[in-house]
Amino acid sequence: MTDAIVQVRAALGDDAIIVSSHENDRGSIEVTAAVETAPQVNSDAGNRQDAGGLEHRLEQMLRARLQAPAASAAETSPSAGAPIVPFDRSTIGAALEAHAVPSALRNDLLVSAIALDRGDAIAALAGALEARLGFEPLPVRPQAPVMAIGLPGAGKTVTLAKLAARAVVDGAPVDIVTTDTVRTGAVAQGEAYAQLIGVHLRRAESIDALSLLLDEGNPSEGTVGDRSHRPCFIDTASVNPFDRDEFAALHRLTQNARIAAGVEPVLVLSALGDADVSREAAIEFARLGARRIVATQLDIARRIGPVLAAADASGLAIAQISVTPYLARGLAQMNAYVCARMILNDSAAAAATPAPMTRHAGQRP
């Protein structure tokens, strides 16, 4: 990832925005980047023509990358030339423990990995992860509006902005709506992110207001339709899922949004949380109809165990991960093989490694 960042800066300059990143089926990091280009009033015709040609080629490259099929969760075997970690049950067990995977889940994964021993620890652990957990990345243009829900401080607003930025780069007009209109600074934060990607933030002060905004995007009044032509991303206020009143209010919001436009609630979950709390919270949020988790703050946590515990207990699939709070770094898609490489990073060669995450976060080694 560090090498990819350097290449992006060299090709597009310091103003380049990294919209998303993921691991492809060859085990390499693919980065989608964009740079805002403003018309040059005083440039000559030749320069304008060159700049236009360059912009056109960059747009074609970005679209090709985004439209290429993402690495499937089923791709859990290392590709040719990928680093192989010799199978060792103690190595896998120690790596799972280092990532704070709860003991019961850790033991089950280790037993499955031993049964799937393929001579490569990464492949064996990937097989065990795939058998136990779900991995389902969010598409660039979701067919249903995406509603970010979660605990305080999980990073819902910036995560939503990153998802919207991917769709904008893909050429889709997007809607960004916030229902978090009470918390101090929430609207200003949403507007700042929306402005960065050239989108107007719309406010929904109530359930009825949100339903009206969602109805505007439906193919016909009263019909839940395919929103992939104009993706919609909805931010919500953070809630304590163990507070009956707060959770009931969010439940009413999500239920009405699902009726109005088939909205998909997506849990934004910080990897910093305690495994037990993350599990209990994920179970509660799954009751709202959430099917996927976007994991955040892995740059600080450097451990994915609490996220795995939450996904295992709730049945939610892991979609993407965020390793930085900054919009420019985007989201990385997850599958079982990427997750296994992350866990066994100390033994494997390193894309998606916690070490660069820590440096990007400004932490000391």
Side-chain angles (χ1 to χ4, degrees):
M1 176 60 75
T2 303
D3 291 341
I5 299 296
V6 172
Q7 292 181 41
V8 166
R9 299 292 185 231
L12 301 181
D14 292 337
D15 294 330
I17 293 176
I18 296 173
V19 178
S20 66
S21 61
H22 72 274
E23 182 122 2
N24 62 27
D25 57 356
R26 299 183 301 277
S28 301
I29 291 290
E30 289 193 7
V31 173
T32 299
V35 61
E36 183 177 358
T37 56
Q40 301 296 322
V41 177
N42 297 323
S43 60
D44 57 40
N47 287 340
R48 286 197 301 270
Q49 184 175 0
D50 291 343
L54 175 60
E55 182 177 352
H56 178 67
R57 291 195 299 274
L58 287 173
E59 181 180 354
Q60 287 182 321
M61 291 169 59
L62 292 173
R63 290 184 185 279
R65 285 292 179 88
L66 281 170
Q67 292 169 359
S72 167
E75 294 168 347
T76 55
S77 298
S79 57
I84 293 178
V85 178
F87 185 89
D88 184 326
R89 60 184 298 170
S90 61
T91 297
I92 296 176
L96 290 170
E97 184 175 5
H99 272 265
V101 178
S103 59
L105 178 57
R106 181 170 72 241
N107 292 336
D108 289 347
L109 289 173
L110 184 56
V111 168
S112 296
I114 293 170
L116 293 169
D117 180 5
R118 305 168 183 174
D120 179 6
I122 296 178
L125 180 56
L129 289 166
E130 184 183 8
R132 182 68 178 249
L133 305 173
F135 297 88
E136 187 181 351
L138 282 159
V140 174
R141 298 190 184 200
Q143 291 190 359
V146 171
M147 174 181 281
I149 59 176
L151 298 166
K156 293 186 301 301
T157 303
V158 68
T159 297
L160 210 67
K162 291 176 179 181
L163 291 171
R166 298 189 311 160
V168 169
V169 171
D170 194 46
V174 305
D175 291 323
I176 300 182
V177 180
T178 182
T179 65
D180 189 6
T181 58
V182 177
R183 181 172 60 89
T184 303
V187 172
Q189 181 187 23
E191 287 178 339
Y193 285 130
Q195 185 178 5
L196 282 174
I197 57 177
V199 177
H200 174 65
L201 178 71
R202 309 178 76 180
R203 306 184 193 185
E205 306 281 349
S206 65
I207 293 175
D208 290 339
L210 177 60
S211 296
L212 288 173
L213 287 176
L214 293 174
D215 281 340
E216 291 178 7
N218 285 346
S220 61
E221 187 175 355
T223 301
V224 176
D226 183 352
R227 285 293 299 258
S228 60
H229 66 289
R230 189 180 183 90
C232 179
F233 303 93
I234 307 165
D235 198 8
T236 64
S238 302
V239 301
N240 174 2
F242 312 115
D243 182 297
R244 180 176 300 179
D245 293 336
E246 283 190 18
F247 197 70
L250 181 60
H251 184 266
R252 289 192 297 271
L253 179 67
T254 56
Q255 290 301 103
N256 279 272
R258 291 176 69 185
I259 293 171
V263 167
E264 178 187 350
V266 172
L267 175 58
V268 179
L269 183 69
S270 170
L272 286 173
D274 173 80
D276 289 335
V277 174
S278 296
R279 273 189 302 220
E280 294 167 358
I283 291 171
E284 294 300 316
F285 284 114
R287 292 170 49 200
L288 303 180
R291 296 189 296 107
R292 298 185 244 212
I293 294 173
V294 175
T296 61
Q297 298 181 322
L298 280 160
D299 54 330
I300 304 173
R302 294 169 296 145
R303 296 167 182 85
I304 200 169
V307 177
L308 300 185
D312 181 55
S314 64
L316 301 182
I318 302 174
Q320 271 93 353
I321 61 170
S322 173
V323 296
T324 172
Y326 301 109
L327 179 62
R329 288 292 308 278
L331 299 169
Q333 296 188 21
M334 281 292 282
N335 62 32
Y337 185 55
V338 172
C339 189
R341 291 188 67 189
M342 179 181 295
I343 292 170
L344 289 167
N345 177 70
D346 289 342
S347 302
T353 152
M357 296 176 193
T358 308
R359 289 196 296 272
H360 285 304
Q363 301 288 316
R364 295 180 180 177

